[in-house]
Structures are given as structure tokens and as C-alpha cells.
Amino acid sequence: MKLEILESLRKEIGDQKVLTSDEVLDARRFDYSVPAHLKDWRGEELARPGVVVRPESTAEVQSIMRIATATKTPVVPYGLGSGVCGGILADPSVILVDLSNMNRIREIDETNLLASFDAGKQGLEAEEAVAAHGLTIGHWPQSIAVSTVGGWVATRASGQFSTAYGNIEDIIYSIEAVLPNGDIVQLGKAPRAAAGPDLRHLLMGAEGTMGLITGVTFALRRQAEKRAYSTYYTPSLSAGFEAQRAIVQSDWLPPVMRQYDATETSRNFRDYVAETANDRGLLLMIHEGPTARVEAELEAVDAIARSFGLEAAPKEIGPHWMENRNHVPTWQQLFEGGLIADTIEISAPWTRIEAIYDEAVASLRELDAVVGASAHSSHVYRTGINLYFTFVAKHEDSADMEGTYLDCWRRVMEATARNGGGVAHHHGAGRLRKRYLIHDLGENGVALLREIKNAIDPLGLLNPGNLIPDA
Amino acid sequence: MKLEILESLRKEIGDQKVLTSDEVLDARRFDYSVPAHLKDWRGEELARPGVVVRPESTAEVQSIMRIATATKTPVVPYGLGSGVCGGILADPSVILVDLSNMNRIREIDETNLLASFDAGKQGLEAEEAVAAHGLTIGHWPQSIAVSTVGGWVATRASGQFSTAYGNIEDIIYSIEAVLPNGDIVQLGKAPRAAAGPDLRHLLMGAEGTMGLITGVTFALRRQAEKRAYSTYYTPSLSAGFEAQRAIVQSDWLPPVMRQYDATETSRNFRDYVAETANDRGLLLMIHEGPTARVEAELEAVDAIARSFGLEAAPKEIGPHWMENRNHVPTWQQLFEGGLIADTIEISAPWTRIEAIYDEAVASLRELDAVVGASAHSSHVYRTGINLYFTFVAKHEDSADMEGTYLDCWRRVMEATARNGGGVAHHHGAGRLRKRYLIHDLGENGVALLREIKNAIDPLGLLNPGNLIPDA
């Protein structure tokens, strides 16, 4: 990084927020994506950002962006580094903007159910702040304790309670961002608007390629009066999907609906189902809302489930999932055991989901190294459902891992695209999935995305190489 | 229109689809906005398009767009002409693309609850087509019989059942459009995606300035098992709003929630409330869904309503509204009576809505010509609510009408902006409201909108002068 850029940054935002120590640079070389972690674990050298800046206000982000634009220096925004698709990857040419010191609660409005935060606010802290008022954001990604509210918006995240409470685009009220030209925009002013295209969507899912999100306002909910669980064995994948389809298409909407295939049922719930599951899958639901509605929903859902041959499973499974839902082994723990693994989420219309499941799992199992290939669903829509594939591969030599890993990704992406699904449900694209976006957008859609990027960021400074498929 | 352009159009799409007769041109000079109708009624001459083309396929739209771009000829899309904000205004330089002959049902998918239509399909025909399968689009704008499904998307429309079923952005699944460069894009492939910014939002609400929408796919619903009505007198505007807020913030969601001020209650429901209303307002709700849920909702809503001092109103009001909800006098009928009127919809957070009501109504009444100023709400959110103002002004000389009309608009827009509301809930901006969008978007937001427009339509050919505030 040129000394004059560092000096400009120091002058504008202060020495203590412009960091170049090995420790700081090393800690922000990449996000939580597997390939970077594998390389790092294997001792390969990975590029570091040229400098890490830690602004504490929108005005400071604006100063940083203006310096970057004036000096044509690339900028990569960084929250808490829990993205899993390589949305963050630094190199010495880059100013990495670590937003995690922008972590204030700006306002909690109990009447209008609005809460505003600096973009770098940690998710669980934001949720706890509104919970103290009897409210909830209703957005519960597995990463809630290691992700920021701005990251949720930048990546178009989904939470575990999305089936009723919506994905981030249904929860967002307004977005404050700094554009590459240094302008601050505040997009979203009213409960709903027909005031031209909804420009919030330029930033949502842009993964730091269109602007730096500095503040977010969410539309909250009051905490539910009642929570209840229901759990069923699914005699087949098909019966479970049909039951879920019947439930949501009848306009019942449990916030959590998760269906595990037989493999994942045995793996995740072995203490509860070992003797009785007999190779069946599991459908786990959480019902929330006014007590009378929850009771009506439980009764209706039970009748629907039974009509598709589902049978009641142990009651403890739901609370067990709630308690343990965010515990996952680290990539490093797996590497130590000779394993490489990942999850891949896709979605599809109801009529296409089973073909995707069958083809993807079969294709993964074709690989000798693959020791596990399974899936569960976790987000349900009137029109279809998502699938969350998990693959695990075993290699004696860790040098073989990356090739297998990328091949597993390719197989799931292609099985999804070939059968009419969408290749990315809620983890975003990053550098890992961007080559597959063409399946969703088509060539002309990708060209349109590039045009928009060029209009907003003509110098191509924001998170270069991320998200947008190469021309 | 240059002869060579007409000849190119005839060659590409056929003589019978390229129309220049007086009758055809006259009928498509403007939409259903008041100022144009007033001028026309007063016998003022209004510009006509240079040519009207009536394509029957996406490929034909593509041919038209390519001719327009090659010859730098402006293009204005036209559906059924029921927009009310001047989104359509032709002049002799313009190729007006009348999409109403693109009116095929492409597919109705009962399993995935998807229905695809050509963009020019009339709304009620589309709804009736899915209703034959026991399904509903769930989108019921007052204009349903005189608007197209593509127009709904282009204007970011809302329907009368939006509180539960969502606005058009919640109902859309995918959009097919022809861009100014002639590319066809198909945006939206899956039930949900995190595959970059949601590009459907570039076209939704763009009112024909970014692309020509040629096809739409909606996410349908199954028709509700049960419908019920409830109606209450509101002792004050405030009590009604508080009751509505408590209902939706408790997570009950009647698809229809409409609160009329005392003026509109007397005017619209005089046969039912004349003797008992005593200057009170009215809250009318329609409840739909599985029978057990509707019953639970009726009971909960009744308890909430009573807790805010609302009292039951005659049962006949709901069904009466359902039957008559789309009957409105024509602008011409009003002009004949010496009257000019319009409705203006805005939205705001709960805490700001009463100040907007008070200021807007008071400001309208300051004008001597104004003989009516009132409002009702019709779309409810956790975070706030909309208001639908109606103003009526009387002039002996119709030459005075336009000035008063524009002044009324200004007064409502400014009262809304001054009190923190959004200036456009669901009618869009057109040429009538575009000057006020700055209140919602800010200068930088408007600049961003212009950048996007310039990127997608660098020659500025699509619906020039519409929507985007002048620089």
C-alpha cells in the first residue's frame, strides 16, 4: 500500500483506526469459506490486505471511500468474517474496511417496530437489544453470533425462522450506504412505496460490490405469545415434501419447517430416533404466534401430516434442535480428521426438488473420496422449497482435498441447474459460486448485472473479483 | 414518424400491427390521469403518438425495440391505460407499444402454484383463469378489469387484499422483459435466491423506463377455505389506528383492513350508518384462511377492537363494500358537474400518520375551491399504514381547475414529506408525482436512479420524461 494512501487515511480517520500489523492483516485475509481455510491450514501463504481500516462512523467510511476513489484503490468491506462463499478475499492492493467497530444501536422504536443499527453490529447483540423490549428481528441465521446486521443485508441472508418471518429482504426497512462516488444514500423511507424501482435491492445481495452498507433499519415483530413444537417421521422424502407443500399451500405457516433425509436424521438425532427411525426421515416444525392460532395450526398440521403417512416422532427432538442448532465443528477440526466438508443450499419449485436431491446425492456418491452425501430442507415457500446439501470427503493427503471439494460443488450446482432449480438460496455467491450464477440469470441477466456494476462503480474498486461472473 | 421507421416496423411485425389511424392514435394519447383528461374534456389538443404498434410476441417486441434503438426513436409502453399518474404521455416522436394483444395464458401450474402470462393480459381475465383451478393471484387493484398484469408489475401496484397477501413485489415470481439493447432477460428462477442483487426490482416500479415487460409469472395461493367480515365504528381516527396496529402487531393478518374517516364513512356507507354513525369513522375487515384460523382471528380481533373502544357496526357493510368496491365515477362525470377530484396515496410509520392526516386535510380545506377533503387507510404493515386522501374541488370555470388540482397534490405531498411519510404508496410516480420523489429518495438516491437509468437506457429512449426527476 502506497505510503501516501496510508497517510491520507490516517489524516482523515485517525492513526489508531488505520492498521498494518501482521496480526491484524493476517486475521482478515479471508472469510469462513473452506478453500481459503484449507490452504491456510496446509500452511500455504495467503495474500493479506494492504491495510485494515476500522471506521467508527458513516462519515469516516465516506472519507475512506473518497480516498480509495481518488487513488483508484480497491476496497473490500469486512464484517465478522463468517461468510462461507469467499465474498472476502484480500490482497496487498486492497483497503479492507472492517466495519465491526461501527456497532452502535441507533434507535429502537417500540411503536413503529423499527430498530436501526450501525452495519457492523453483531447479530446476536442486535437481537438481544430488541428482545429487551419484548421484540424480535425474527432473523436467526446459524451465524447469528458471528455475523453482522450489515452482512445479513449484503449477502441476502436467511434465518432459521424464515418460513413465517421472511428472509432479510422481508425484514429490511431501510439501508444507509456509501457509494463509490462518496455519496451517502438512505434507501427506504416508508412502510411501503411505489416510488420507482426499489433501490434497496441494488445493495441487498451485492456482497460489497455496489456500495458499503453503513446502517440498517429492520421492521421488527413482537415476540410470539406461544411457541410449540411438532415432529414427525417421514416414510419417504416425497411424503415429507408433500406434507410440507400441503401445509404452506393451506396457508399455515410454521416459522421453522425442517425435513431431514434418513442419513441426516440418524446423524443429527441419533439419541432420539436410533431405535425407531428405521431409515425414515424427520420433519421438525416450530409453531409461533397468538396461542389460539398456534393451537389451530397444531391441529391442522397434525391432520395434514397423518394424511401423508407421517407418524409422530419423539417430542424432545424440537427442543434439542433449538438448543444445539448453531453448534457445528470447525473446518480445522475436520481437516485434522482427514475430512473436508461443506453445505450447499439451493431452492426449486416443488416438482423439481426430488430430482435435484436424487441427482445431486447420486453424483456426489460417485466420487470415491465422498463418505457422506445428504440433505435437509429448511425454508419453505408456496412455490417450492430449499435443500441444504452436506457432503463430506476423506483424503489421506490433504493436497487432494481442494480438487474433490470443488468437484462436489460443481456436481450439486449442475444437478440443480439441470433440473430447473436456483443455484443459491441464501449463502450468496462470493468467489466460490459466481461461475454458476449464469444458470439463474442467463447470459443477458449477467450482462445486466455487469452494466449496473459499471454504472455504480465505474472504476471497479468495490470488492473486485467478487460475485459478478467474469466476462 | 419517419416513413423509414414505419416501413421497418411493418416489415418486422406486419402491416396490421403498425397503426396510424386517427382513432387508434387518439385513444392512446394518455393514461387515466386527471390533468390529461381535463385538457381533453376542455377540448384542448393533446399530442398523439407517432405510431401505435401492437406486437403479439416477445420476439416482436424485441424487433420493435431494436428498430427504436437503431433509429434513436422514443418508446412508450402501453397496457390498458388505467394508470393515474401520467405514466403514459405520447408525442409524435414516439412509438407507442400497445401490449394488450400480448394476452396469452402461458402456463398455470397447480402444484407449484405458478401462473405465467403475457404482460398484456387483462388482470381480471388472469385472475379468472387461475380461479378456475381453485387458485387466486391474490392481487385485487380497483383497476383489475382495466389494467394488465404487466402494468401491475411496471407500477409496483397493490391490491385491496394486500395486508395478508402482499403487494405485487411479494406476488411476483419472475419477469420477462426486453431491454433497450434488444436483449431478453428472464429474471427470477427459484422460490428464493441469494444470487446477487434481485434484478427484478430494476423493472418493478420502473414504469417503462428501464425495459419493456413482456411476461410475468406470479406465485399463486389456493383460494381460502373461509371468508368472514367484521366491521366496527371507530370513536376517533386515533382509536382506529391503534386497534389496527394492535391487530397486525399481534400477528393477526386480515387481508383487508380499511379505516374510513367520518367524512368518508357518511359518504360511502350512508345507507347503513346514517342514523348511528354520529360522526364516527368505520373499520372494515375481511378475514380469510383455514376456517379454524379465521375463527380464532375473529375472536382475537373483536377483543382488540373493543379494548380500544370500537363498537360493532352493521354486518351488511362488508359485503356491500365487496360488491361495490370497484365502482367509481369517471373524471368526465365529475367535470360535467363542475368538479375536479383525485385520490392520493401515501404511507408512514404509525407515529406519523395522524399528523399527516391532520395537516393534509387542513391544508386542502384552506383552498376556497375545495369542497371535500377526506381519507381512508387500506394497506397495513407492522411498521405503519397507508392513507388514501380524496379531494374534490368545485369551479365555475373549468379553466381554473388544473391550478387547484396541482395545488391539492402539492399540499398532500408536502404535508406527507414534512411529517416523515413516504410520498407514494402504490400508484407510482408517473409525470405527476415525479417532482416529489426527492422527498423519499433524497438527492443522492435520485442521482443513483439516474445512473441506473443511463446504464440500462443510455440513449434515453424508454418512456422519456416519466418517473425520474429531472436533473
Side-chain angles (χ1 to χ4, degrees), chain A residues 7 88 244 335 343 371:
Chain A
E7 277 168 5
I88 304 304
Q244 290 198 77
F335 299 150
T343 58
V371 295

Side-chain angles (χ1 to χ4, degrees), chain A residues 109-114 137 155-158 165 167-171 173 179 181 183-207 209-210 218-222 242 245 249-253 288-293 296 345-352 381-385 416-417 420-429 433 437 439-442 444-449 451-452 455-457 467, chain B residues 109-114 137 155-158 165 167-171 173 179 181 183-207 209-210 218-222 242 245 249-253 288-293 296 345-352 381-385 416-417 420-429 433 437 439-442 444-449 451-452 455-457 467:
Chain A
D109 176 343
E110 293 186 49
T111 310
N112 298 311
L113 297 192
L114 295 171
I137 302 171
T155 57
R156 277 180 73 84
S158 298
Y165 300 156
N167 300 299
I168 201 69
E169 67 272 23
D170 307 304
I171 295 170
Y173 186 85
L179 301 181
N181 64 9
D183 279 357
I184 299 174
V185 286
Q186 181 74 48
L187 303 171
K189 188 180 177 189
R192 199 263 173 177
D198 183 348
L199 299 176
R200 298 175 305 172
H201 282 276
L202 293 173
L203 295 160
M204 258 188 284
E207 303 182 20
T209 63
M210 303 286 179
F218 295 126
L220 310 173
R221 298 175 171 274
R222 300 201 178 281
E242 282 297 283
R245 184 168 77 85
Q249 292 188 351
S250 305
D251 210 11
W252 296 107
L253 220 49
E288 287 192 345
T291 304
R293 197 187 70 201
E345 18 63 64
I346 61 93
S347 79
W350 292 104
T351 52
R352 296 172 188 180
Y381 306 87
R382 302 196 298 282
T383 56
I385 190 165
T416 301
V423 298
H425 181 268
H426 69 271
H427 282 173
R433 181 148 36 189
L437 288 192
H439 293 304
D440 273 27
L441 301 176
N444 294 343
V446 168
L448 177 59
L449 181 58
E451 272 172 26
I452 300 301
I456 297 179
D457 181 18
L467 177 69
Chain B
D109 175 343
E110 292 186 51
T111 310
N112 298 311
L113 298 192
L114 295 171
I137 301 171
T155 58
R156 278 180 71 83
S158 298
Y165 301 157
N167 301 299
I168 201 70
E169 67 272 23
D170 307 304
I171 295 170
Y173 187 85
L179 301 180
N181 63 9
D183 279 357
I184 299 174
V185 286
Q186 180 75 47
L187 302 170
K189 188 181 177 188
R192 200 263 173 178
D198 183 347
L199 299 176
R200 298 175 304 172
H201 283 275
L202 293 174
L203 295 161
M204 257 188 284
E207 304 182 20
T209 62
M210 304 285 181
F218 295 125
L220 310 174
R221 298 175 170 274
R222 299 201 179 280
E242 283 296 283
R245 183 168 78 86
Q249 292 188 350
S250 307
D251 210 11
W252 295 107
L253 220 50
E288 288 193 344
T291 304
R293 196 187 71 201
E345 19 63 64
I346 60 92
S347 78
W350 291 105
T351 52
R352 296 173 188 181
Y381 306 88
R382 301 197 298 283
T383 56
I385 190 164
T416 301
V423 299
H425 181 268
H426 69 271
H427 282 172
R433 179 145 39 187
L437 289 192
H439 293 303
D440 274 27
L441 301 176
N444 294 342
V446 168
L448 177 59
L449 181 58
E451 271 173 26
I452 300 301
I456 297 179
D457 182 19
L467 177 68

Side-chain angles (χ1 to χ4, degrees), chain A residues 102-174:
Chain A
M102 278 188 70
N103 57 7
R104 288 172 311 138
I105 300 166
R106 296 184 179 183
E107 192 183 5
I108 296 175
D109 176 343
E110 293 186 49
T111 310
N112 298 311
L113 297 192
L114 295 171
S116 298
F117 304 97
D118 282 354
K121 187 74 178 168
Q122 191 244 61
L124 192 56
E125 286 177 13
E127 175 63 27
E128 285 170 352
V130 305
H133 298 263
L135 308 173
T136 178
I137 302 171
H139 185 73
W140 295 92
Q142 193 175 49
S143 67
I144 188 163
V146 289
S147 57
T148 64
V149 296
W152 296 351
V153 174
T155 57
R156 277 180 73 84
S158 298
Q160 291 151 337
F161 284 63
S162 76
T163 294
Y165 300 156
N167 300 299
I168 201 69
E169 67 272 23
D170 307 304
I171 295 170
I172 194 76
Y173 186 85
S174 71

Side-chain angles (χ1 to χ4, degrees), chain A residues 330-412:
Chain A
T330 65
W331 301 141
Q332 284 78 356
Q333 288 168 325
L334 293 169
F335 299 150
E336 299 287 349
L339 300 173
I340 187 162
D342 206 357
T343 58
I344 307 178
E345 18 63 64
I346 61 93
S347 79
W350 292 104
T351 52
R352 296 172 188 180
I353 202 72
E354 282 184 66
I356 292 172
Y357 176 89
D358 290 343
E359 254 194 68
V361 168
S363 181
L364 289 169
R365 289 182 180 158
E366 279 171 13
L367 293 175
D368 290 339
V370 166
V371 295
S374 60
H376 65 270
S377 64
S378 49
H379 304 267
V380 190
Y381 306 87
R382 302 196 298 282
T383 56
I385 190 165
N386 86 311
L387 275 179
Y388 225 123
F389 290 98
T390 297
F391 68 84
V392 185
K394 194 171 173 66
H395 281 288
E396 297 293 315
D397 184 349
S398 66
D400 298 332
M401 283 180 172
E402 188 178 9
T404 299
Y405 174 87
L406 294 175
D407 197 13
C408 287
W409 261 90
R410 185 184 57 77
R411 284 163 186 263
V412 174

Side-chain angles (χ1 to χ4, degrees), chain B residues 85-88 206-209 429-432 434 462-469:
Chain B
C85 291
I88 303 304
E207 304 182 20
T209 62
R431 287 161 180 82
L432 188 53
K434 71 173 181 173
L462 275 180
N463 213 348
N466 191 43
L467 177 68
I468 299 164

